[in-house]
Amino acid sequence: MPARDDTRTTPAGVPLEPFYRPEDAPVDYARDLNDPGSFPFTRGVQSSMYRGRLWTMRQYAGFGTASETNARFHTLLAAGQTGLSVAFDLPTQMGFDSDSPRALGEVGRVGVAIDTVDDMHALLAEIPLDEVSTSMTINATAATLLAMYIVVAEERGIARAKLSGTVQNDILKEYIARGTYIYPPGPSLALVTGIFAFCAAEVPLWNPISISGYHMREAGSTAVQELAFTFANTIEYVSRALAAGLAIDTFAPRLSFFFAAHSDLFEEVAKFRAARRIYARLMRERFGASEASCRLRFHTQTGGVTLTAQQPLTNVVRVTVQTLAAVLGGTQSLHTNGYDEALALPTVSAATLALRTQQVVAYESGVAGTADPLAGSYYVEKLTTELEERALALLARVEALGGAARAIEEGFFQEEIGRSAYEHQLRVERGETIVVGVNAFTDDEPPLTIPAPDFRALEQEQLARLGKTKAARDQGAVSSALAALRAASASDSAENSARLMPLIIDAARARATLGEIADTLASAWGMYRPAS
């Protein structure tokens, strides 16, 4: 029998043995695993998992104008996609209208430009909002985009109670990893909890947040950091909501999550299983939540940062492995990246092939036939426990600093992720971590050429659309709605921040622009400037 050693590790640094025995993975089945659908949900949040219902195939899409993105949505729905996922351009994410000088050259480039309710109408044209769920990747302006979505439904005669979907609304990870914040953390967090309260009362099928480890993983975190920092942020959000007077079981059942799937198949599967166990125990033991509030429901996206511009067709294989990791790990929703996304916005053919990848895994691979098929593997069980223990230890360090908000102020998350990213890059450059086509198995294949859209023409089209809406609206109604919002935001507090959502809806209905609403809130709250 070969000797065992600890000279190899997983990408997260967990020592990797050449083989595992039963004694390496002692598990109390009832306490640590239990059946799928039973606490602590290690094996899945539903008893039948994909035998009862497949995960939602929710391809992320958005570029240029609302009408162009709507055409892509219809193409994907016709190809078998089962839910929408909207990417917004940077001006929309940052609270700038398309005619703002600060939006120049960025309109429609990395997502769709949405300035008013009229844009949202065009984005969702001919899509049955009471039948199709919609995920919107939006944070600082999440309240405004949700308001516009509600107004579109209202003007189409669809009741709020029939709408289903998600706003990402995870502002903490913006301070940590992405940077599309507007307001300081205090009022930003109050607005987040206000959305919790509003959705619980008015839009019961809507997920008011998607707490996101994905973007921290994209910034260079390890799987352990992805878990620990996601749950540190979770504790902050839940604690703020409780402090605002919300009862845990009024909002927690609709909390959702967003994780990455990278290419180390077993580490990723173990990460998802550990995530469910950590969350279930955290919600029950710390917050006294009911079982319904302990089920970790999450969306997964294959790792954008793992895609390579070199040999881009190789990305098809990477995405397939990552799809298997997400499904074997029990995801509820999945986006698979196009093979050309390291070079440009995905083409129709690449996006369709990415969807076909999910469909082959769902209908041909057999992995959806039974819940948690890797359970009982000595390696998977050992790795699940190891990731859980390491994530909890790192989470304890965050708590010792005073929680997520304080840790962000002190730069803890940013420094930890930056160090991991740097160390990974060094391993790639030294050839210790192999990236096929980049530092091994290279060739002289010419780069893939993808025609770029005429973004200047798209920008002009969007500006014309915005100008038309501004010219046709009742300016008095807009001014009145914004004045009411300004007065409420200036006097609001965490305890009653839910009252802002109806006022934002009123402003959106009057055709106030996204930028006007953002500026109104900023006039009361100020702008966030991170410490240098």
Side-chain angles (χ1 to χ4, degrees), residues 171 175 181-190 521-522 524-529:
I171 200 63
Y175 300 120
Y181 44 72
I182 302 174
Y183 320 112
S188 293
L189 286 166
L521 295 176
W525 296 341
M527 308 282 283
Y528 178 66
R529 295 290 182 265

Side-chain angles (χ1 to χ4, degrees), residues 373-411:
L374 293 182
S377 157
Y378 307 138
Y379 176 41
V380 169
E381 298 300 353
K382 171 67 173 178
L383 193 51
T384 300
T385 299
E386 185 76 19
L387 291 175
E388 177 188 21
E389 291 174 349
R390 288 177 178 236
L392 289 174
L394 184 53
L395 176 58
R397 290 178 62 193
V398 176
E399 300 230 82
L401 292 171
R406 181 62 60 84
I408 289 169
E409 291 174 1
E410 296 188 9

Side-chain angles (χ1 to χ4, degrees), residues 215-434:
H215 302 93
M216 292 184 280
R217 194 68 181 277
E218 287 287 284
S221 80
T222 66
V224 168
Q225 291 169 333
E226 183 183 4
L227 289 175
F229 297 162
T230 298
F231 291 125
N233 289 347
T234 301
I235 291 170
E236 190 76 45
Y237 289 127
V238 172
S239 298
R240 298 272 179 151
L242 295 175
L246 300 181
I248 185 69
D249 292 321
T250 63
F251 67 90
R254 299 306 305 184
L255 299 182
S256 64
F257 292 79
F258 178 21
F259 292 111
H262 280 209
S263 298
D264 190 293
L265 179 73
F266 294 105
E267 181 169 85
E268 295 300 298
V269 170
K271 179 190 75 180
F272 297 131
R273 299 172 85 248
R276 282 191 292 270
R277 194 152 74 201
I278 292 170
Y279 182 70
R281 290 171 172 165
L282 170 69
M283 294 300 284
R284 173 180 284 185
E285 295 168 9
R286 177 170 301 203
F287 297 114
S290 68
E291 188 162 296
S293 298
C294 296
R295 298 173 188 265
L296 178 78
R297 300 172 302 110
F298 63 93
H299 172 73
T300 307
Q301 181 171 338
T302 57
V305 74
T306 70
L307 302 178
T308 63
Q310 302 91 330
Q311 301 179 19
L313 286 175
T314 306
N315 293 326
V316 175
V317 183
R318 292 188 178 97
V319 169
T320 303
V321 172
Q322 293 163 9
T323 300
L324 283 168
V327 172
L328 290 168
T331 192
Q332 278 64 66
S333 173
L334 180 61
H335 164 85
T336 36
N337 290 326
Y339 66 83
D340 53 4
E341 288 189 52
L343 297 162
L345 293 169
T347 56
V348 171
S349 60
T352 303
L353 179 59
L355 176 60
R356 296 286 181 250
T357 302
Q358 294 197 50
Q359 292 165 337
V360 168
V361 169
Y363 296 105
E364 296 186 26
S365 73
V367 300
T370 188
D372 195 22
L374 293 182
S377 157
Y378 307 138
Y379 176 41
V380 169
E381 298 300 353
K382 171 67 173 178
L383 193 51
T384 300
T385 299
E386 185 76 19
L387 291 175
E388 177 188 21
E389 291 174 349
R390 288 177 178 236
L392 289 174
L394 184 53
L395 176 58
R397 290 178 62 193
V398 176
E399 300 230 82
L401 292 171
R406 181 62 60 84
I408 289 169
E409 291 174 1
E410 296 188 9
F412 176 76
F413 293 128
Q414 300 92 316
E415 290 178 8
E416 290 291 308
I417 293 171
R419 184 180 303 110
S420 295
Y422 177 67
E423 290 172 353
H424 170 76
Q425 185 60 33
L426 288 180
R427 289 192 297 273
V428 171
E429 292 178 5
R430 291 194 296 256
E432 298 167 1
T433 295
I434 297 298

